[in-house]
Amino acid sequence: MALFKENLLAGQVALITGGGSGIGAGIAQLLAQQGARVALMGRRVEKLEEVASTIRSAGGSALTLPGDVRDYAHVEASVKRCVEEYGRLDIVINGAAGNFPVPASQLSSNGFKAVMDIDLLGTFHVCRAAFEPLSRQGGCIVSITATQAFVPTMLQAHVGAAKAGIEKMTKDLALEWGSFGIRVNTIAPGPVAGTEGMARLAPGGMAETLKKNVPLQRYATIEEIAGGVLFLVSPAGSYITGAMLLMDGGLALLGGRIFE
Ligand code: COA
C-alpha cells in the first residue's frame, strides 16, 4: 500500500549521513523512491556503494561520499561535492551515530568522547556545512536521535548525553534558521528491528523481553522510521520546526523500567 503520493520529492536533493546501513540506508531508499537525488555519506565506502547501487537499479540517482562526520573538513567537502554534482541541497538527514552499551562506571573518557563526537559534534558539523546551500531556497534537516535523550537508560549515559544535546541544538537551530526557510526537526525512535544498534543493545533473549514490554508489542521497522522522515520533509510537514517526532511504539511511557 502506498502511504504517500508518488514523486513527492521530485527535483529535490537529500544528503544522508550514515546512509550506508540501517535506518540511514532505509531513509535514503525511501527519499530516492520519492524522486529525490540522494548523496550518502559514511565511513564505509563499500556499504555506501551497496545502497547506492540498489537505488540506481531502481531508477534513482545516488552519489557516495566516503567520510567521517567527526572531521569538519570531510563534511564540508561532502556538502560541496553534493552541491557541485546536483546543483542544490534541500534535505539533510543526520543518521550517523555510534553506540555501545557500557556502565558509566567503566566508560573511559575517550569512549564518552567518541560517541559525543560522532553524534553531537558530527550533527553540528553537518548542519553547519549545509546551512549555506539550504538557505539558498529553503530546506529541512532531520536528525535521528533516540529515546535515551530523555528516558534514563542503563548503560547509555554517553549516548543519552549526545542525543539530548542534539535535541536541544535542534530547537536552537530551528529558532535561528527559521527566517532562512530552514526547518530543523528530530525523530526519536525506540527499538528498531534489523539495526546494528539493536543488535548491540538488546542481544539474544533481551530482545524478546524488550519486545513484550513495548506497548505496541513489537519493534519498529526501518521503513516506518523512514516514513516519519518523509512526513517531516514533505509538504505535510511544512509548518513543523523545532519538533521531536517520537516513534517508539509507546516505550517511553514506561520510563526507564523496560526490562521488568
Ligand atoms: N565498551 C566500552 N568502551 C568502548 C566500547 C565498548 N563496547 N567500544 C569502544 N569503546 C571505547 C574504546 O575503548 C575507546 O576508548 P579508550 O581509548 O579509552 O580505550 C573509545 O571508545 C573509542 O573507541 P574506538 O574503537 O577507537 O572508536 P572508533 O572511532 O573506531 O569507533 C565507536 C567508534 C566506538 C562508536 C564504534 O562502536 C563505532 O564505530 N560504531 C559505529 C556503528 C555503531 O555504533 N552503530 C550503532 C549506531 S546506534
Side-chain angles (χ1 to χ4, degrees):
M1 181 186 62
L3 295 175
F4 295 89
K5 174 176 168 264
E6 275 178 34
N7 258 340
L8 262 181
L9 305 178
Q12 297 197 39
V13 174
L15 170 70
I16 299 110
T17 72
S21 63
I23 297 173
I27 294 168
Q29 280 163 341
L30 184 60
L31 300 190
Q33 261 172 36
Q34 286 292 341
R37 287 167 291 164
V38 299
L40 314 175
M41 186 181 177
R43 281 184 295 170
R44 291 171 292 179
V45 66
E46 62 292 348
K47 292 266 174 200
L48 297 177
E49 282 301 336
E50 232 173 80
V51 178
S53 81
T54 310
I55 290 171
R56 289 180 200 127
S57 323
S61 178
L63 171 71
T64 56
L65 303 166
D68 191 330
V69 293
R70 289 176 282 194
D71 186 330
Y72 190 69
H74 287 190
V75 173
E76 210 175 19
S78 296
V79 170
K80 189 161 176 269
R81 169 97 180 82
C82 172
V83 175
E84 273 168 10
E85 179 76 20
Y86 290 140
R88 57 190 291 148
L89 180 60
D90 303 274
I91 297 167
V92 170
I93 310 298
N94 287 297
N99 196 352
F100 48 83
V102 63
S105 57
Q106 288 163 36
L107 177 59
S108 70
S109 167
N110 200 34
F112 187 89
K113 184 174 181 300
V115 170
M116 291 297 281
D117 283 354
I118 298 171
D119 291 33
L120 181 53
L121 185 62
T123 297
F124 172 72
H125 281 165
V126 175
C127 294
R128 173 69 184 83
F131 170 76
E132 194 279 321
L134 286 177
S135 68
R136 287 183 206 167
Q137 72 286 310
C140 55
I141 298 173
V142 179
S143 300
I144 307 303
T145 63
T147 51
Q148 290 93 313
F150 53 93
V151 177
T153 309
M154 299 289 282
L155 315 181
Q156 291 282 275
H158 47 324
V159 174
K163 297 299 196 188
I166 299 172
E167 289 293 345
K168 175 59 169 63
M169 181 174 68
T170 294
K171 293 185 192 334
D172 295 327
L173 296 183
L175 184 66
E176 286 196 25
W177 293 358
S179 61
F180 295 90
I182 302 173
R183 297 185 295 107
V184 194
N185 294 295
T186 68
I187 287 189
V192 183
T195 59
E196 189 180 335
M198 277 319 291
R200 288 178 183 223
L201 296 180
M206 256 167 112
E208 281 314 305
T209 313
L210 179 56
K211 212 175 274 182
K212 284 196 205 105
N213 287 334
V214 177
L216 289 185
Q217 304 277 289
R218 63 175 181 85
Y219 289 172
T221 62
I222 288 175
E223 291 72 23
E224 284 174 309
I225 304 301
V229 171
L230 183 56
F231 162 69
L232 285 175
V233 305
S234 77
S238 58
Y239 202 58
I240 302 176
T241 195
M244 179 190 79
L245 179 57
L246 175 60
M247 298 185 75
D248 73 337
L251 191 59
L253 300 170
L254 305 179
R257 301 162 73 93
I258 55 178
F259 286 110
E260 286 171 28

